[in-house]
Amino acid sequence: MGDHVETPKKCRTLLYSKKQILSTMAIESATPDLKKIVEGAADFLPLLGTDYIELYVGNAKQSAHYYKTAFGFQSLAYAGLETGVKDRTSYVLEQDKIRLVLTTPLTQDNPINDHLRKHGDGVKVIALWVDDARKAYEETTKRGAESYFEPMVEKDADGEVVKSGIKLYGDTVHIFVERKNYKGTFLPGFKAWKSTYNPTSTGIKYVDHMVANVDWNQMNKWVKFYEEVMGFANVLSFDDKDISTEYSALMSKVMSNGNGRIKFPINEPAKGKKKSQVEEYLDFYNGEGVQHIAVATDDIVKTVRDLMARGVEFLKVPSSYYEGLLDRVGPIDEDLEPLAELGILIDRDDEGYLLQLFTKPVEDRPTMFFEIIQRKGAKSFGKGNFKALFEAIEREQESRGTL
Ligand code: FE2
């Protein structure tokens, strides 16, 4: 279905006809906007999925241990001094269809240090898997994207990969990865990483969506960027009436590509009595960046129980959230008791319901966090939970003195 993201190695079809895209998206029920984009515009930027997410971190070795131990990622590939890379170390982790790259600079003059000093740990690269990285670069830069780097070919004994890159909000970038002529573990320059420490998976399967926090009055600029430069459509919008508490507010628009595999909601702060979570993020990240990575599971109770047992910390809603919940969201397949015990949130839209839960920030600065989501037909993002959730975040902000 629309949320399913395939990894390169499991890909069989490289290009999708409009008919395929329409059926993948169940587009008949999608908003007219998206239907128009998919049917009307030539699909100038076909995206096959999320290729990898790269985080710049202070200590990649220890971060890799955390993501393996706490989140159940598996060792995949490595680059560093032992592979002839002199200025950085990168660990590549995978869990089902998700690949995380954790990179730390090794030398004082490496510009990655500037990124770390300014932002702390955070997402640098959202890599997108394409059939033609040269064309992706050409189509996006001619529509106004700023170049990060021009198309380049990397080779090793397993074949070649073509990459190109464009700049996004803040210091974040998209890298287009064309790997149809590559058979290696990850990318040229990386060697397979065999570890004797292999914690089991927590049932996390693929990236459902990734959310950006942008500055005051910048949301529409980036909506326009994704529409015009990337061929995405704005499929959902929330204003400060939808997302506000007594103290703070934000606005959000959800951008989706034509086949529905890639979804990027974009948040902007809105005026409230006190500082919103987006403002807090912007202060501590020193600018715009990725706020959260939503990862999907088929069994959220099992996944969340497992993550909690491994030390992942989650936001807590008050138990009153569960009073009358089934009257609000209607019948669900799951027992309510374990959901309430774990603090899992439920919301419904026209097409079904979803279960979701948010971690606390996974680094010391109150910046990036994860969302665990299980979709039971719903294609939305949990609007009905926003208020309870933001009040939970505000309690955290209060304890940090940043509300
Ligand atoms: Fe989300």
Side-chain angles (χ1 to χ4, degrees):
M1 285 305 291
D3 304 305
H4 187 78
V5 180
E6 288 185 23
T7 52
K9 64 187 173 190
K10 286 175 187 160
C11 169
R12 267 170 244 105
T13 319
L14 283 179
L15 288 169
Y16 297 84
S17 68
K18 280 174 191 161
K19 200 176 159 202
Q20 282 172 307
I21 292 168
L22 289 169
S23 66
T24 311
M25 272 301 287
I27 200 82
E28 291 74 13
S29 58
T31 61
D33 236 354
L34 180 57
K35 198 170 176 182
K36 199 174 86 204
I37 290 266
V38 175
E39 287 177 339
D43 203 356
F44 64 84
L45 184 63
L47 300 175
L48 308 174
T50 308
D51 196 282
Y52 65 88
I53 300 163
E54 182 169 19
L55 287 84
Y56 283 173
V57 296
N59 188 333
K61 186 172 203 160
Q62 292 190 3
S63 291
H65 195 287
Y66 171 76
Y67 282 106
K68 285 171 69 172
T69 303
F71 281 84
F73 281 87
Q74 323 290 318
S75 305
L76 180 68
Y78 170 85
L81 294 173
E82 297 82 352
T83 66
V85 178
K86 301 274 194 281
D87 68 337
R88 65 178 71 189
T89 297
S90 296
Y91 291 83
V92 188
L93 306 175
E94 79 174 338
Q95 185 161 191
D96 205 319
K97 297 178 173 62
I98 307 171
R99 283 192 294 231
L100 282 188
V101 182
L102 304 163
T103 297
T104 288
L106 292 176
T107 54
Q108 190 180 334
D109 56 356
N110 188 322
I112 296 172
N113 289 303
D114 301 333
H115 199 279
L116 289 172
R117 191 180 311 116
K118 186 172 179 189
H119 303 299
D121 288 9
V123 172
K124 173 64 182 181
V125 180
I126 303 168
L128 301 170
W129 174 36
V130 297
D131 187 48
D132 187 339
R134 291 182 183 88
K135 183 165 181 291
Y137 182 84
E138 188 192 314
E139 296 288 350
T140 50
T141 53
K142 86 177 179 201
R143 288 172 170 82
E146 199 184 328
S147 175
Y148 179 50
F149 62 84
E150 290 181 5
M152 56 184 279
V153 181
E154 291 180 337
K155 293 181 186 182
D156 67 13
D158 290 313
E160 65 170 50
V161 168
V162 187
K163 298 200 300 192
S164 60
I166 59 170
K167 292 183 180 176
L168 296 175
Y169 45 83
D171 291 321
T172 319
V173 300
H174 278 319
I175 291 180
F176 301 114
V177 182
E178 170 190 331
R179 49 170 73 252
K180 59 179 179 278
N181 297 314
Y182 193 67
K183 293 186 189 65
T185 307
F186 178 56
L187 288 173
F190 285 79
K191 65 169 190 183
W193 172 24
K194 304 271 185 247
S195 174
T196 53
Y197 177 61
N198 302 300
T200 54
S201 158
T202 56
I204 291 169
K205 294 184 109 84
Y206 59 90
V207 175
D208 186 276
H209 60 277
M210 287 180 71
V211 180
N213 277 342
V214 299
D215 225 323
W216 294 93
N217 305 313
Q218 297 299 301
M219 179 176 67
N220 287 333
K221 172 187 158 183
W222 290 104
V223 165
K224 203 163 159 246
F225 171 90
Y226 274 104
E227 282 174 346
E228 292 177 2
V229 173
M230 305 277 292
F232 280 45
N234 175 205
V235 292
L236 278 172
S237 297
F238 308 101
D239 62 18
D240 47 352
K241 284 173 218 62
D242 297 313
I243 316 181
S244 67
T245 64
E246 190 188 346
Y247 296 125
S248 63
L250 65 88
M251 298 186 285
S252 189
K253 289 189 177 177
V254 181
M255 307 307 295
S256 172
N257 79 320
N259 65 20
R261 291 182 180 190
I262 315 283
K263 290 187 285 296
F264 296 132
I266 302 168
N267 294 335
E268 165 184 323
K271 285 254 176 297
K273 273 193 218 161
K274 294 191 178 182
K275 188 186 276 190
S276 77
Q277 49 164 314
V278 180
E279 285 174 275
E280 185 195 37
Y281 175 100
L282 294 169
D283 285 352
F284 279 91
Y285 201 70
N286 283 309
E288 304 176 333
V290 171
Q291 180 209 39
H292 73 266
I293 303 172
V295 292
T297 169
D298 290 339
D299 186 347
I300 196 166
V301 170
K302 186 173 173 298
T303 296
V304 168
R305 207 184 283 288
D306 203 357
L307 291 168
M308 279 180 183
R310 294 164 185 237
V312 176
E313 299 173 306
F314 289 91
L315 286 176
K316 281 217 162 28
V317 293
S319 55
S320 59
Y321 172 86
Y322 296 92
E323 289 164 16
L325 179 69
L326 295 181
D327 298 333
R328 299 202 298 276
V329 301
I332 56 171
D333 302 335
E334 293 74 14
D335 290 335
L336 195 57
E337 200 178 311
L339 298 177
E341 174 207 328
L342 299 168
I344 293 166
L345 310 173
I346 308 151
D347 194 29
R348 185 177 286 278
D349 65 19
D350 295 343
E351 294 171 79
Y353 67 96
L354 62 82
L355 304 147
Q356 63 185 169
L357 189 55
F358 296 81
T359 72
K360 292 185 182 181
V362 291
E363 55 286 300
D364 291 304
R365 299 192 198 193
T367 51
M368 195 194 78
F369 58 89
F370 283 82
E371 172 183 349
I372 315 299
I373 184 166
Q374 182 179 3
R375 294 187 179 276
K376 308 282 292 254
K379 293 207 174 65
S380 53
F381 296 84
K383 179 179 161 182
N385 291 324
F386 287 169
K387 194 172 160 57
L389 203 60
F390 296 152
E391 284 169 353
I393 292 175
E394 283 166 12
R395 285 192 292 278
E396 296 284 318
Q397 281 183 263
E398 183 114 64
S399 72
R400 294 192 281 261
T402 58
L403 183 62

